[in-house]
């Protein structure tokens, strides 16, 4: 973690509390009175001291199961690959804050080349920016971080583009392309009998458990594709969003 300003100390606090094997602090800047307004581990006695050095003991106290150390205090991070390697080799994640742009570029290139996760972030008053580079093979499994939606339904039509209608007064927040499945639906049995679930010995005999892609119509209805292979809908049921990689 490079840059122990107000944002950097918040990130450090959260990561150390969550528990990692090792956490290293770096900062080339000394504490000023301006830092005291947001960096909660600094006080007036720390003015003139390196921000990371002044904070390290308090950060360590948050979790003694984490080894908290420091590197290159009062020095800028290097931009030459060989020098960067001496500092960052063996780390899983590098986070930069309050950092010069040319250093960000150099560190990011090194991290991408060597499979190290990279985050660069800063705040300025009410504004903030965040850049993540987790490598070409990184898989996003949750596009918004929100809890999966579950809505009550009142009907499903039998047609090539089956329409799902929600219970009166209920609304969904599904988007085109979202994946959902059903449970507790009465009726809608497979006309040709149960199907074996791929990779298991379990069988499925109704629309409950099938996965569908959503095509939204409005806030209270959406399409799910071909439902002609099922018997008519009888009643009840829930439609639940399934988080899938994007």
């Amino acid at each position: 973690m490079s840059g122990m300003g107000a944002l950097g100390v918040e990130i450090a606090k959260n990561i150390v509390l969550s528990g990692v094997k090792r956490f290293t602090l770096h900062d080339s800047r000394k504490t000023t009175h301006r830092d005291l307004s947001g960096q909660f581990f600094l006080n007036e006695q720390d003015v003139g001291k390196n921000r990371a050095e002044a904070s390290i003991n308090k950060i360590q106290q948050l979790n003694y199961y984490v080894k908290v150390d420091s590197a290159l205090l009062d020095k800028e991070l290097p931009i030459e690959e060989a020098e960067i390697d001496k500092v960052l080799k063996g780390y899983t994640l590098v986070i930069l804050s309050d950092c010069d742009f040319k250093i960000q570029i150099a560190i990011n290139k090194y991290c991408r080349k060597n499979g190290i996760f990279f985050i660069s972030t800063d705040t300025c008053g009410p504004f903030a920016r965040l850049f993540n580079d987790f490598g070409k093979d990184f898989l996003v499994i949750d596009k918004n971080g929100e809890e999966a939606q579950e809505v009550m339904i009142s009907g499903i039509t039998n047609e090539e583009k089956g329409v799902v209608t929600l219970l009166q007064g209920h609304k969904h927040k599904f988007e085109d392309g979202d994946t959902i499945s059903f449970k507790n639906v009465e009726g809608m049995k497979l006309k040709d009998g149960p199907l074996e679930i791929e990779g298991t010995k379990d069988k499925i005999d109704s629309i409950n458990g099938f996965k569908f892609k959503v095509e939204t119509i409005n806030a209270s209805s959406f399409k799910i594709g071909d439902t002609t292979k099922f018997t008519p809908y009888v009643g009840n049921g829930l439609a639940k969003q399934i988080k899938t990689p994007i």
Side-chain angles (χ1 to χ4, degrees):
M1 174 71 231
S2 177
M4 289 303 296
L7 177 59
V9 74
E10 181 68 27
I11 295 170
K13 180 257 294 181
N14 291 338
I15 293 178
V16 171
L17 284 174
S18 69
V20 293
K21 185 176 181 180
R22 179 187 178 193
F23 190 79
T24 300
L25 305 179
H26 165 266
D27 205 328
S28 62
R29 301 185 185 186
K30 296 185 182 299
T31 305
T32 66
H33 282 90
R34 183 177 181 180
D35 292 312
L36 306 184
S37 64
Q39 217 281 31
F40 46 78
F41 282 155
L42 298 176
N43 55 49
E44 288 191 4
Q45 286 70 41
D46 297 317
V47 173
K49 298 178 182 178
N50 181 280
R51 296 187 300 182
E53 185 178 22
S55 305
I56 190 169
N57 289 335
K58 294 177 182 177
I59 292 173
Q60 180 66 84
Q61 291 171 16
L62 296 172
N63 189 345
Y64 283 104
Y65 291 101
V66 177
K67 179 183 178 181
V68 180
D69 57 15
S70 60
L72 295 180
L73 296 181
D74 296 324
K75 295 181 180 179
E76 295 279 5
L77 290 172
I79 58 175
E80 299 295 332
E81 183 174 350
E83 295 301 312
I84 296 174
D85 189 66
K86 293 178 183 179
V87 179
L88 299 184
K89 187 175 182 179
Y91 285 93
T92 305
L93 168 65
V94 173
I95 306 172
L96 304 183
S97 180
D98 295 339
C99 189
D100 187 84
F101 184 68
K102 67 179 181 181
I103 296 176
Q104 295 179 47
I105 296 298
I107 299 295
N108 183 211
K109 286 182 178 179
Y110 173 85
C111 290
R112 173 165 275 266
K113 180 179 179 180
N114 291 276
I116 300 173
F117 297 158
F118 174 84
I119 298 174
S120 175
T121 183
D122 279 302
T123 58
C124 185
F127 303 101
R129 67 158 190 87
L130 173 68
F131 173 78
N132 297 331
D133 185 350
F134 297 151
K136 62 181 181 180
D137 297 323
F138 182 73
L139 187 65
V140 178
I141 59 173
D142 190 339
K143 67 180 181 180
N144 55 25
E146 296 179 0
E147 186 175 350
Q149 300 177 64
E150 189 172 83
V151 291
M152 301 178 69
I153 67 172
S154 64
I156 306 174
T157 63
N158 288 97
E159 51 187 321
E160 289 187 2
K161 287 190 175 183
V163 176
V164 179
T165 304
L166 304 190
L167 204 62
Q168 186 174 1
H170 288 247
K171 295 182 179 181
H172 70 81
K173 296 181 181 178
F174 298 142
E175 299 176 359
D176 289 349
D178 282 352
T179 301
I180 64 160
S181 67
F182 294 99
K183 65 179 182 180
N184 302 330
V185 173
E186 297 175 8
M188 306 226 66
K189 300 289 185 181
L190 282 165
K191 294 178 180 178
D192 295 331
L195 290 176
E196 189 171 295
I197 301 174
E198 186 176 351
T200 72
K201 295 182 179 179
D202 297 329
K203 292 187 176 181
I204 189 168
D205 65 353
S206 72
I207 200 169
N208 294 312
F210 268 90
K211 295 179 181 179
F212 298 91
K213 291 288 187 181
V214 167
E215 181 184 340
T216 58
I217 300 174
N218 52 46
S220 59
S221 62
F222 53 88
K223 297 178 182 179
I224 57 171
D226 191 359
T227 56
T228 58
K229 60 186 176 183
F230 301 103
T231 60
Y233 173 85
V234 174
N236 297 324
L238 296 168
K240 183 170 183 177
Q241 181 183 25
I242 299 174
K243 299 283 188 176
T244 57
I246 58 174

